[in-house]
PDB file of all heavy atoms in Angstrom:
ATOM      1  N   CYS A 206      11.201  -9.401 -10.164  1.00 98.00           N
ATOM      2  CA  CYS A 206      10.921 -10.777 -10.566  1.00 98.00           C
ATOM      3  C   CYS A 206      12.197 -11.364 -11.159  1.00 98.00           C
ATOM      4  O   CYS A 206      12.792 -10.741 -12.054  1.00 98.00           O
ATOM      5  CB  CYS A 206       9.814 -10.809 -11.604  1.00 98.00           C
ATOM      6  SG  CYS A 206       8.229 -10.261 -10.988  1.00 98.00           S
ATOM      7  N   GLU A 207      12.562 -12.466 -10.640  1.00 98.00           N
ATOM      8  CA  GLU A 207      13.790 -13.132 -11.138  1.00 98.00           C
ATOM      9  C   GLU A 207      13.364 -14.352 -11.866  1.00 98.00           C
ATOM     10  O   GLU A 207      12.853 -15.326 -11.307  1.00 98.00           O
ATOM     11  CB  GLU A 207      14.700 -13.463  -9.916  1.00 98.00           C
ATOM     12  CG  GLU A 207      14.927 -12.314  -8.992  1.00 98.00           C
ATOM     13  CD  GLU A 207      15.658 -11.128  -9.622  1.00 98.00           C
ATOM     14  OE1 GLU A 207      16.540 -11.310 -10.488  1.00 98.00           O
ATOM     15  OE2 GLU A 207      15.348  -9.964  -9.265  1.00 98.00           O
ATOM     16  N   ASP A 208      13.582 -14.341 -13.173  1.00 97.00           N
ATOM     17  CA  ASP A 208      13.072 -15.409 -14.045  1.00 97.00           C
ATOM     18  C   ASP A 208      13.855 -16.690 -13.971  1.00 97.00           C
ATOM     19  O   ASP A 208      15.099 -16.691 -13.956  1.00 97.00           O
ATOM     20  CB  ASP A 208      13.005 -14.931 -15.518  1.00 97.00           C
ATOM     21  CG  ASP A 208      11.959 -13.876 -15.686  1.00 97.00           C
ATOM     22  OD1 ASP A 208      10.920 -13.915 -14.948  1.00 97.00           O
ATOM     23  OD2 ASP A 208      12.169 -12.935 -16.548  1.00 97.00           O
ATOM     24  N   ILE A 209      13.131 -17.803 -13.905  1.00 96.00           N
ATOM     25  CA  ILE A 209      13.708 -19.152 -13.881  1.00 96.00           C
ATOM     26  C   ILE A 209      13.737 -19.683 -15.316  1.00 96.00           C
ATOM     27  O   ILE A 209      14.723 -20.211 -15.805  1.00 96.00           O
ATOM     28  CB  ILE A 209      12.936 -20.092 -12.958  1.00 96.00           C
ATOM     29  CG1 ILE A 209      12.956 -19.543 -11.545  1.00 96.00           C
ATOM     30  CG2 ILE A 209      13.464 -21.515 -13.004  1.00 96.00           C
ATOM     31  CD1 ILE A 209      11.977 -20.191 -10.569  1.00 96.00           C
ATOM     32  N   ASP A 210      12.564 -19.630 -15.937  1.00 95.00           N
ATOM     33  CA  ASP A 210      12.393 -20.054 -17.332  1.00 95.00           C
ATOM     34  C   ASP A 210      11.275 -19.227 -17.891  1.00 95.00           C
ATOM     35  O   ASP A 210      10.808 -18.304 -17.199  1.00 95.00           O
ATOM     36  CB  ASP A 210      12.168 -21.613 -17.403  1.00 95.00           C
ATOM     37  CG  ASP A 210      10.859 -22.036 -16.801  1.00 95.00           C
ATOM     38  OD1 ASP A 210       9.982 -21.176 -16.574  1.00 95.00           O
ATOM     39  OD2 ASP A 210      10.641 -23.284 -16.585  1.00 95.00           O
ATOM     40  N   PRO A 211      10.816 -19.448 -19.132  1.00 96.00           N
ATOM     41  CA  PRO A 211       9.818 -18.510 -19.699  1.00 96.00           C
ATOM     42  C   PRO A 211       8.481 -18.528 -18.966  1.00 96.00           C
ATOM     43  O   PRO A 211       7.624 -17.685 -19.179  1.00 96.00           O
ATOM     44  CB  PRO A 211       9.589 -19.029 -21.126  1.00 96.00           C
ATOM     45  CG  PRO A 211      10.890 -19.743 -21.475  1.00 96.00           C
ATOM     46  CD  PRO A 211      11.314 -20.367 -20.156  1.00 96.00           C
ATOM     47  N   VAL A 212       8.292 -19.477 -18.043  1.00 96.00           N
ATOM     48  CA  VAL A 212       7.040 -19.595 -17.336  1.00 96.00           C
ATOM     49  C   VAL A 212       7.147 -19.214 -15.847  1.00 96.00           C
ATOM     50  O   VAL A 212       6.182 -18.601 -15.341  1.00 96.00           O
ATOM     51  CB  VAL A 212       6.545 -21.079 -17.415  1.00 96.00           C
ATOM     52  CG1 VAL A 212       5.215 -21.287 -16.703  1.00 96.00           C
ATOM     53  CG2 VAL A 212       6.459 -21.534 -18.886  1.00 96.00           C
ATOM     54  N   ARG A 213       8.243 -19.522 -15.236  1.00 96.00           N
ATOM     55  CA  ARG A 213       8.309 -19.343 -13.747  1.00 96.00           C
ATOM     56  C   ARG A 213       9.319 -18.229 -13.380  1.00 96.00           C
ATOM     57  O   ARG A 213      10.319 -17.975 -14.066  1.00 96.00           O
ATOM     58  CB  ARG A 213       8.806 -20.634 -13.094  1.00 96.00           C
ATOM     59  CG  ARG A 213       7.802 -21.764 -13.183  1.00 96.00           C
ATOM     60  CD  ARG A 213       8.425 -22.832 -14.036  1.00 96.00           C
ATOM     61  NE  ARG A 213       7.695 -24.101 -14.002  1.00 96.00           N
ATOM     62  CZ  ARG A 213       8.025 -25.076 -14.769  1.00 96.00           C
ATOM     63  NH1 ARG A 213       9.037 -24.991 -15.598  1.00 96.00           N
ATOM     64  NH2 ARG A 213       7.311 -26.186 -14.719  1.00 96.00           N
ATOM     65  N   PHE A 214       9.019 -17.656 -12.190  1.00 97.00           N
ATOM     66  CA  PHE A 214       9.982 -16.692 -11.657  1.00 97.00           C
ATOM     67  C   PHE A 214       9.880 -16.670 -10.145  1.00 97.00           C
ATOM     68  O   PHE A 214       8.917 -17.091  -9.582  1.00 97.00           O
ATOM     69  CB  PHE A 214       9.699 -15.320 -12.285  1.00 97.00           C
ATOM     70  CG  PHE A 214       8.305 -14.789 -12.105  1.00 97.00           C
ATOM     71  CD1 PHE A 214       7.869 -14.077 -11.036  1.00 97.00           C
ATOM     72  CD2 PHE A 214       7.353 -15.054 -13.125  1.00 97.00           C
ATOM     73  CE1 PHE A 214       6.565 -13.627 -10.865  1.00 97.00           C
ATOM     74  CE2 PHE A 214       6.069 -14.573 -12.998  1.00 97.00           C
ATOM     75  CZ  PHE A 214       5.681 -13.846 -11.871  1.00 97.00           C
ATOM     76  N   ILE A 215      10.879 -16.007  -9.516  1.00 96.00           N
ATOM     77  CA  ILE A 215      10.860 -15.853  -8.054  1.00 96.00           C
ATOM     78  C   ILE A 215      10.523 -14.388  -7.787  1.00 96.00           C
ATOM     79  O   ILE A 215      11.078 -13.472  -8.422  1.00 96.00           O
ATOM     80  CB  ILE A 215      12.268 -16.138  -7.499  1.00 96.00           C
ATOM     81  CG1 ILE A 215      12.645 -17.554  -7.770  1.00 96.00           C
ATOM     82  CG2 ILE A 215      12.273 -15.892  -5.947  1.00 96.00           C
ATOM     83  CD1 ILE A 215      14.113 -17.876  -7.423  1.00 96.00           C
ATOM     84  N   THR A 216       9.559 -14.150  -6.860  1.00 96.00           N
ATOM     85  CA  THR A 216       9.252 -12.780  -6.551  1.00 96.00           C
ATOM     86  C   THR A 216       8.867 -12.672  -5.055  1.00 96.00           C
ATOM     87  O   THR A 216       9.202 -13.578  -4.314  1.00 96.00           O
ATOM     88  CB  THR A 216       8.110 -12.249  -7.494  1.00 96.00           C
ATOM     89  OG1 THR A 216       7.984 -10.845  -7.310  1.00 96.00           O
ATOM     90  CG2 THR A 216       6.755 -12.912  -7.237  1.00 96.00           C
ATOM     91  N   ASN A 217       8.252 -11.570  -4.655  1.00 94.00           N
ATOM     92  CA  ASN A 217       7.837 -11.432  -3.273  1.00 94.00           C
ATOM     93  C   ASN A 217       6.496 -10.722  -3.233  1.00 94.00           C
ATOM     94  O   ASN A 217       5.902 -10.457  -4.271  1.00 94.00           O
ATOM     95  CB  ASN A 217       8.928 -10.699  -2.427  1.00 94.00           C
ATOM     96  CG  ASN A 217       9.160  -9.323  -3.041  1.00 94.00           C
ATOM     97  OD1 ASN A 217       8.299  -8.470  -3.115  1.00 94.00           O
ATOM     98  ND2 ASN A 217      10.398  -9.103  -3.515  1.00 94.00           N
ATOM     99  N   ARG A 218       5.986 -10.463  -1.975  1.00 91.00           N
ATOM    100  CA  ARG A 218       4.597  -9.999  -1.842  1.00 91.00           C
ATOM    101  C   ARG A 218       4.395  -8.532  -2.046  1.00 91.00           C
ATOM    102  O   ARG A 218       3.329  -8.006  -1.813  1.00 91.00           O
ATOM    103  CB  ARG A 218       4.092 -10.404  -0.438  1.00 91.00           C
ATOM    104  CG  ARG A 218       3.908 -11.882  -0.260  1.00 91.00           C
ATOM    105  CD  ARG A 218       3.532 -12.151   1.186  1.00 91.00           C
ATOM    106  NE  ARG A 218       3.563 -13.531   1.509  1.00 91.00           N
ATOM    107  CZ  ARG A 218       2.508 -14.334   1.411  1.00 91.00           C
ATOM    108  NH1 ARG A 218       1.329 -13.855   1.086  1.00 91.00           N
ATOM    109  NH2 ARG A 218       2.583 -15.626   1.738  1.00 91.00           N
ATOM    110  N   SER A 219       5.459  -7.829  -2.385  1.00 92.00           N
ATOM    111  CA  SER A 219       5.318  -6.354  -2.530  1.00 92.00           C
ATOM    112  C   SER A 219       4.304  -5.976  -3.605  1.00 92.00           C
ATOM    113  O   SER A 219       4.333  -6.584  -4.716  1.00 92.00           O
ATOM    114  CB  SER A 219       6.682  -5.731  -2.819  1.00 92.00           C
ATOM    115  OG  SER A 219       6.476  -4.357  -3.168  1.00 92.00           O
ATOM    116  N   THR A 220       3.425  -5.044  -3.361  1.00 94.00           N
ATOM    117  CA  THR A 220       2.412  -4.656  -4.345  1.00 94.00           C
ATOM    118  C   THR A 220       2.724  -3.257  -4.931  1.00 94.00           C
ATOM    119  O   THR A 220       2.084  -2.835  -5.890  1.00 94.00           O
ATOM    120  CB  THR A 220       1.013  -4.530  -3.716  1.00 94.00           C
ATOM    121  OG1 THR A 220       1.134  -3.578  -2.594  1.00 94.00           O
ATOM    122  CG2 THR A 220       0.532  -5.865  -3.196  1.00 94.00           C
ATOM    123  N   GLY A 221       3.631  -2.537  -4.330  1.00 96.00           N
ATOM    124  CA  GLY A 221       3.939  -1.148  -4.772  1.00 96.00           C
ATOM    125  C   GLY A 221       3.098  -0.122  -4.190  1.00 96.00           C
ATOM    126  O   GLY A 221       3.157   1.066  -4.481  1.00 96.00           O
ATOM    127  N   LYS A 222       2.190  -0.504  -3.182  1.00 95.00           N
ATOM    128  CA  LYS A 222       1.281   0.492  -2.602  1.00 95.00           C
ATOM    129  C   LYS A 222       2.039   1.578  -1.831  1.00 95.00           C
ATOM    130  O   LYS A 222       1.725   2.770  -1.925  1.00 95.00           O
ATOM    131  CB  LYS A 222       0.347  -0.158  -1.548  1.00 95.00           C
ATOM    132  CG  LYS A 222      -0.863  -0.821  -2.225  1.00 95.00           C
ATOM    133  CD  LYS A 222      -1.830  -1.328  -1.151  1.00 95.00           C
ATOM    134  CE  LYS A 222      -3.001  -2.003  -1.815  1.00 95.00           C
ATOM    135  NZ  LYS A 222      -3.923  -2.613  -0.814  1.00 95.00           N
ATOM    136  N   MET A 223       3.070   1.208  -1.071  1.00 96.00           N
ATOM    137  CA  MET A 223       3.865   2.195  -0.318  1.00 96.00           C
ATOM    138  C   MET A 223       4.571   3.111  -1.321  1.00 96.00           C
ATOM    139  O   MET A 223       4.592   4.364  -1.152  1.00 96.00           O
ATOM    140  CB  MET A 223       4.811   1.486   0.619  1.00 96.00           C
ATOM    141  CG  MET A 223       5.511   2.410   1.593  1.00 96.00           C
ATOM    142  SD  MET A 223       4.375   3.201   2.777  1.00 96.00           S
ATOM    143  CE  MET A 223       4.711   4.925   2.537  1.00 96.00           C
ATOM    144  N   GLY A 224       5.158   2.493  -2.371  1.00 97.00           N
ATOM    145  CA  GLY A 224       5.855   3.316  -3.334  1.00 97.00           C
ATOM    146  C   GLY A 224       4.924   4.278  -4.038  1.00 97.00           C
ATOM    147  O   GLY A 224       5.212   5.475  -4.198  1.00 97.00           O
ATOM    148  N   ALA A 225       3.703   3.792  -4.403  1.00 98.00           N
ATOM    149  CA  ALA A 225       2.724   4.657  -5.066  1.00 98.00           C
ATOM    150  C   ALA A 225       2.270   5.818  -4.170  1.00 98.00           C
ATOM    151  O   ALA A 225       2.093   6.907  -4.637  1.00 98.00           O
ATOM    152  CB  ALA A 225       1.541   3.805  -5.552  1.00 98.00           C
ATOM    153  N   ALA A 226       2.155   5.539  -2.892  1.00 97.00           N
ATOM    154  CA  ALA A 226       1.752   6.618  -1.974  1.00 97.00           C
ATOM    155  C   ALA A 226       2.866   7.652  -1.898  1.00 97.00           C
ATOM    156  O   ALA A 226       2.596   8.867  -1.825  1.00 97.00           O
ATOM    157  CB  ALA A 226       1.488   5.994  -0.564  1.00 97.00           C
ATOM    158  N   LEU A 227       4.106   7.177  -1.868  1.00 98.00           N
ATOM    159  CA  LEU A 227       5.231   8.136  -1.842  1.00 98.00           C
ATOM    160  C   LEU A 227       5.325   8.975  -3.117  1.00 98.00           C
ATOM    161  O   LEU A 227       5.565  10.187  -3.095  1.00 98.00           O
ATOM    162  CB  LEU A 227       6.603   7.368  -1.672  1.00 98.00           C
ATOM    163  CG  LEU A 227       6.865   6.888  -0.229  1.00 98.00           C
ATOM    164  CD1 LEU A 227       7.875   5.774  -0.294  1.00 98.00           C
ATOM    165  CD2 LEU A 227       7.362   8.069   0.578  1.00 98.00           C
ATOM    166  N   VAL A 228       5.038   8.332  -4.251  1.00 98.00           N
ATOM    167  CA  VAL A 228       5.089   9.027  -5.540  1.00 98.00           C
ATOM    168  C   VAL A 228       4.028  10.091  -5.548  1.00 98.00           C
ATOM    169  O   VAL A 228       4.299  11.267  -5.906  1.00 98.00           O
ATOM    170  CB  VAL A 228       4.887   8.024  -6.742  1.00 98.00           C
ATOM    171  CG1 VAL A 228       4.736   8.769  -8.029  1.00 98.00           C
ATOM    172  CG2 VAL A 228       6.051   7.031  -6.778  1.00 98.00           C
ATOM    173  N   GLU A 229       2.819   9.756  -5.150  1.00 97.00           N
ATOM    174  CA  GLU A 229       1.720  10.739  -5.183  1.00 97.00           C
ATOM    175  C   GLU A 229       2.015  11.904  -4.251  1.00 97.00           C
ATOM    176  O   GLU A 229       1.833  13.087  -4.618  1.00 97.00           O
ATOM    177  CB  GLU A 229       0.419  10.018  -4.792  1.00 97.00           C
ATOM    178  CG  GLU A 229      -0.682  10.974  -4.507  1.00 97.00           C
ATOM    179  CD  GLU A 229      -1.980  10.734  -5.292  1.00 97.00           C
ATOM    180  OE1 GLU A 229      -2.025   9.713  -6.025  1.00 97.00           O
ATOM    181  OE2 GLU A 229      -2.891  11.532  -5.161  1.00 97.00           O
ATOM    182  N   ALA A 230       2.462  11.566  -3.019  1.00 96.00           N
ATOM    183  CA  ALA A 230       2.724  12.605  -2.013  1.00 96.00           C
ATOM    184  C   ALA A 230       3.815  13.559  -2.509  1.00 96.00           C
ATOM    185  O   ALA A 230       3.638  14.799  -2.384  1.00 96.00           O
ATOM    186  CB  ALA A 230       3.113  11.975  -0.723  1.00 96.00           C
ATOM    187  N   ALA A 231       4.867  12.997  -3.089  1.00 97.00           N
ATOM    188  CA  ALA A 231       5.992  13.832  -3.505  1.00 97.00           C
ATOM    189  C   ALA A 231       5.559  14.739  -4.694  1.00 97.00           C
ATOM    190  O   ALA A 231       5.910  15.893  -4.728  1.00 97.00           O
ATOM    191  CB  ALA A 231       7.190  12.951  -3.944  1.00 97.00           C
ATOM    192  N   CYS A 232       4.794  14.167  -5.629  1.00 97.00           N
ATOM    193  CA  CYS A 232       4.303  14.966  -6.754  1.00 97.00           C
ATOM    194  C   CYS A 232       3.424  16.135  -6.290  1.00 97.00           C
ATOM    195  O   CYS A 232       3.553  17.257  -6.739  1.00 97.00           O
ATOM    196  CB  CYS A 232       3.489  14.083  -7.738  1.00 97.00           C
ATOM    197  SG  CYS A 232       4.541  12.958  -8.673  1.00 97.00           S
ATOM    198  N   ILE A 233       2.470  15.749  -5.399  1.00 95.00           N
ATOM    199  CA  ILE A 233       1.505  16.780  -4.931  1.00 95.00           C
ATOM    200  C   ILE A 233       2.231  17.912  -4.217  1.00 95.00           C
ATOM    201  O   ILE A 233       1.767  19.028  -4.270  1.00 95.00           O
ATOM    202  CB  ILE A 233       0.441  16.082  -4.083  1.00 95.00           C
ATOM    203  CG1 ILE A 233      -0.610  15.462  -5.027  1.00 95.00           C
ATOM    204  CG2 ILE A 233      -0.178  16.982  -3.064  1.00 95.00           C
ATOM    205  CD1 ILE A 233      -1.638  14.696  -4.376  1.00 95.00           C
ATOM    206  N   ARG A 234       3.332  17.607  -3.622  1.00 95.00           N
ATOM    207  CA  ARG A 234       4.102  18.638  -2.887  1.00 95.00           C
ATOM    208  C   ARG A 234       5.112  19.343  -3.790  1.00 95.00           C
ATOM    209  O   ARG A 234       5.962  20.064  -3.340  1.00 95.00           O
ATOM    210  CB  ARG A 234       4.740  18.008  -1.660  1.00 95.00           C
ATOM    211  CG  ARG A 234       3.658  17.678  -0.639  1.00 95.00           C
ATOM    212  CD  ARG A 234       4.162  16.811   0.493  1.00 95.00           C
ATOM    213  NE  ARG A 234       5.079  17.542   1.398  1.00 95.00           N
ATOM    214  CZ  ARG A 234       5.416  17.115   2.605  1.00 95.00           C
ATOM    215  NH1 ARG A 234       4.885  15.986   3.088  1.00 95.00           N
ATOM    216  NH2 ARG A 234       6.205  17.787   3.334  1.00 95.00           N
ATOM    217  N   GLY A 235       5.009  19.053  -5.106  1.00 96.00           N
ATOM    218  CA  GLY A 235       5.784  19.842  -6.041  1.00 96.00           C
ATOM    219  C   GLY A 235       7.136  19.292  -6.456  1.00 96.00           C
ATOM    220  O   GLY A 235       7.855  19.941  -7.204  1.00 96.00           O
ATOM    221  N   ALA A 236       7.530  18.110  -5.928  1.00 98.00           N
ATOM    222  CA  ALA A 236       8.811  17.528  -6.289  1.00 98.00           C
ATOM    223  C   ALA A 236       8.746  17.021  -7.748  1.00 98.00           C
ATOM    224  O   ALA A 236       7.703  16.737  -8.266  1.00 98.00           O
ATOM    225  CB  ALA A 236       9.142  16.402  -5.344  1.00 98.00           C
TER     226      ALA A 236
END
Side-chain angles (χ1 to χ4, degrees):
C206 294
E207 309 299 325
D208 290 329
I209 299 167
D210 68 14
V212 180
R213 294 115 170 172
F214 55 89
I215 300 170
T216 191
N217 58 63
R218 291 174 190 267
S219 170
T220 58
K222 276 188 184 175
M223 189 64 235
L227 281 161
V228 173
E229 168 127 4
C232 288
I233 276 176
R234 291 170 69 165

